[in-house]
PDB file of all heavy atoms in Angstrom:
ATOM      1  N   ARG Q   2       0.653  42.670  -2.964  1.00  0.00           N
ATOM      2  CA  ARG Q   2      -0.654  43.326  -3.137  1.00  0.00           C
ATOM      3  C   ARG Q   2      -1.553  42.368  -3.906  1.00  0.00           C
ATOM      4  O   ARG Q   2      -1.148  41.807  -4.988  1.00  0.00           O
ATOM      5  CB  ARG Q   2      -0.509  44.645  -3.862  1.00  0.00           C
ATOM      6  CG  ARG Q   2      -1.860  45.273  -4.220  1.00  0.00           C
ATOM      7  CD  ARG Q   2      -1.636  46.668  -4.830  1.00  0.00           C
ATOM      8  NE  ARG Q   2      -2.987  47.082  -5.190  1.00  0.00           N
ATOM      9  CZ  ARG Q   2      -3.481  48.301  -4.883  1.00  0.00           C
ATOM     10  NH1 ARG Q   2      -2.825  49.217  -4.217  1.00  0.00           N
ATOM     11  NH2 ARG Q   2      -4.729  48.563  -5.316  1.00  0.00           N
ATOM     12  N   VAL Q   3      -2.796  42.176  -3.430  1.00  0.00           N
ATOM     13  CA  VAL Q   3      -3.770  41.367  -4.185  1.00  0.00           C
ATOM     14  C   VAL Q   3      -5.025  42.163  -4.401  1.00  0.00           C
ATOM     15  O   VAL Q   3      -5.634  42.686  -3.406  1.00  0.00           O
ATOM     16  CB  VAL Q   3      -4.078  40.061  -3.502  1.00  0.00           C
ATOM     17  CG1 VAL Q   3      -5.120  39.258  -4.303  1.00  0.00           C
ATOM     18  CG2 VAL Q   3      -2.915  39.275  -3.083  1.00  0.00           C
ATOM     19  N   ASP Q   4      -5.386  42.345  -5.669  1.00  0.00           N
ATOM     20  CA  ASP Q   4      -6.595  42.991  -6.030  1.00  0.00           C
ATOM     21  C   ASP Q   4      -7.657  41.973  -6.478  1.00  0.00           C
ATOM     22  O   ASP Q   4      -7.312  41.088  -7.325  1.00  0.00           O
ATOM     23  CB  ASP Q   4      -6.351  44.120  -7.155  1.00  0.00           C
ATOM     24  CG  ASP Q   4      -5.496  45.208  -6.716  1.00  0.00           C
ATOM     25  OD1 ASP Q   4      -5.916  46.139  -6.138  1.00  0.00           O
ATOM     26  OD2 ASP Q   4      -4.263  45.128  -6.962  1.00  0.00           O
ATOM     27  N   VAL Q   5      -8.862  42.190  -5.940  1.00  0.00           N
ATOM     28  CA  VAL Q   5      -9.833  41.153  -6.312  1.00  0.00           C
ATOM     29  C   VAL Q   5     -10.982  41.869  -7.065  1.00  0.00           C
ATOM     30  O   VAL Q   5     -11.603  42.773  -6.580  1.00  0.00           O
ATOM     31  CB  VAL Q   5     -10.459  40.494  -5.036  1.00  0.00           C
ATOM     32  CG1 VAL Q   5     -11.484  39.450  -5.396  1.00  0.00           C
ATOM     33  CG2 VAL Q   5      -9.354  39.798  -4.183  1.00  0.00           C
ATOM     34  N   VAL Q   6     -11.173  41.374  -8.242  1.00  0.00           N
ATOM     35  CA  VAL Q   6     -12.273  41.979  -9.154  1.00  0.00           C
ATOM     36  C   VAL Q   6     -13.481  41.038  -8.913  1.00  0.00           C
ATOM     37  O   VAL Q   6     -13.434  39.829  -9.482  1.00  0.00           O
ATOM     38  CB  VAL Q   6     -11.781  42.084 -10.549  1.00  0.00           C
ATOM     39  CG1 VAL Q   6     -12.963  42.513 -11.496  1.00  0.00           C
ATOM     40  CG2 VAL Q   6     -10.655  43.072 -10.634  1.00  0.00           C
ATOM     41  N   SER Q   7     -14.497  41.535  -8.378  1.00  0.00           N
ATOM     42  CA  SER Q   7     -15.671  40.668  -8.057  1.00  0.00           C
ATOM     43  C   SER Q   7     -16.902  41.508  -7.905  1.00  0.00           C
ATOM     44  O   SER Q   7     -16.931  42.697  -7.359  1.00  0.00           O
ATOM     45  CB  SER Q   7     -15.314  39.845  -6.775  1.00  0.00           C
ATOM     46  OG  SER Q   7     -16.599  39.445  -6.046  1.00  0.00           O
ATOM     47  N   LEU Q   8     -18.052  40.926  -8.167  1.00  0.00           N
ATOM     48  CA  LEU Q   8     -19.304  41.678  -7.898  1.00  0.00           C
ATOM     49  C   LEU Q   8     -19.635  41.627  -6.320  1.00  0.00           C
ATOM     50  O   LEU Q   8     -20.471  42.304  -5.894  1.00  0.00           O
ATOM     51  CB  LEU Q   8     -20.471  40.938  -8.581  1.00  0.00           C
ATOM     52  CG  LEU Q   8     -20.500  41.077 -10.084  1.00  0.00           C
ATOM     53  CD1 LEU Q   8     -21.593  40.184 -10.756  1.00  0.00           C
ATOM     54  CD2 LEU Q   8     -20.719  42.488 -10.477  1.00  0.00           C
ATOM     55  N   PHE Q   9     -18.755  40.806  -5.586  1.00  0.00           N
ATOM     56  CA  PHE Q   9     -18.929  40.831  -4.141  1.00  0.00           C
ATOM     57  C   PHE Q   9     -17.575  41.021  -3.466  1.00  0.00           C
ATOM     58  O   PHE Q   9     -17.165  40.154  -2.760  1.00  0.00           O
ATOM     59  CB  PHE Q   9     -19.600  39.482  -3.667  1.00  0.00           C
ATOM     60  CG  PHE Q   9     -20.818  39.217  -4.448  1.00  0.00           C
ATOM     61  CD1 PHE Q   9     -20.831  38.274  -5.452  1.00  0.00           C
ATOM     62  CD2 PHE Q   9     -21.993  39.829  -4.096  1.00  0.00           C
ATOM     63  CE1 PHE Q   9     -22.039  38.012  -6.106  1.00  0.00           C
ATOM     64  CE2 PHE Q   9     -23.174  39.555  -4.676  1.00  0.00           C
ATOM     65  CZ  PHE Q   9     -23.178  38.688  -5.769  1.00  0.00           C
ATOM     66  N   PRO Q  10     -16.940  42.163  -3.745  1.00  0.00           N
ATOM     67  CA  PRO Q  10     -15.620  42.299  -3.220  1.00  0.00           C
ATOM     68  C   PRO Q  10     -15.552  42.381  -1.645  1.00  0.00           C
ATOM     69  O   PRO Q  10     -14.544  41.956  -1.096  1.00  0.00           O
ATOM     70  CB  PRO Q  10     -15.207  43.736  -3.827  1.00  0.00           C
ATOM     71  CG  PRO Q  10     -16.372  44.438  -4.171  1.00  0.00           C
ATOM     72  CD  PRO Q  10     -17.425  43.340  -4.452  1.00  0.00           C
ATOM     73  N   GLU Q  11     -16.659  42.860  -1.065  1.00  0.00           N
ATOM     74  CA  GLU Q  11     -16.698  42.869   0.439  1.00  0.00           C
ATOM     75  C   GLU Q  11     -16.631  41.488   0.978  1.00  0.00           C
ATOM     76  O   GLU Q  11     -16.122  41.319   2.164  1.00  0.00           O
ATOM     77  CB  GLU Q  11     -17.795  43.723   0.937  1.00  0.00           C
ATOM     78  CG  GLU Q  11     -19.196  43.185   0.637  1.00  0.00           C
ATOM     79  CD  GLU Q  11     -19.595  43.305  -0.906  1.00  0.00           C
ATOM     80  OE1 GLU Q  11     -18.955  44.138  -1.604  1.00  0.00           O
ATOM     81  OE2 GLU Q  11     -20.556  42.642  -1.273  1.00  0.00           O
ATOM     82  N   PHE Q  12     -17.136  40.473   0.297  1.00  0.00           N
ATOM     83  CA  PHE Q  12     -17.149  39.102   0.689  1.00  0.00           C
ATOM     84  C   PHE Q  12     -15.719  38.617   0.832  1.00  0.00           C
ATOM     85  O   PHE Q  12     -15.352  38.001   1.833  1.00  0.00           O
ATOM     86  CB  PHE Q  12     -17.892  38.301  -0.275  1.00  0.00           C
ATOM     87  CG  PHE Q  12     -17.862  36.778  -0.094  1.00  0.00           C
ATOM     88  CD1 PHE Q  12     -18.412  36.202   1.088  1.00  0.00           C
ATOM     89  CD2 PHE Q  12     -17.425  35.897  -1.028  1.00  0.00           C
ATOM     90  CE1 PHE Q  12     -18.384  34.900   1.349  1.00  0.00           C
ATOM     91  CE2 PHE Q  12     -17.382  34.547  -0.869  1.00  0.00           C
ATOM     92  CZ  PHE Q  12     -17.848  34.057   0.299  1.00  0.00           C
ATOM     93  N   VAL Q  13     -14.933  38.886  -0.162  1.00  0.00           N
ATOM     94  CA  VAL Q  13     -13.488  38.445  -0.141  1.00  0.00           C
ATOM     95  C   VAL Q  13     -12.702  39.239   0.939  1.00  0.00           C
ATOM     96  O   VAL Q  13     -11.908  38.705   1.709  1.00  0.00           O
ATOM     97  CB  VAL Q  13     -12.798  38.596  -1.496  1.00  0.00           C
ATOM     98  CG1 VAL Q  13     -11.368  38.160  -1.452  1.00  0.00           C
ATOM     99  CG2 VAL Q  13     -13.546  37.822  -2.562  1.00  0.00           C
TER     100      VAL Q  13
END
Side-chain angles (χ1 to χ4, degrees):
R2 176 179 172 126
V3 181
D4 295 276
V5 183
V6 173
S7 156
L8 289 171
F9 308 101
E11 62 291 341
F12 173 60
V13 180

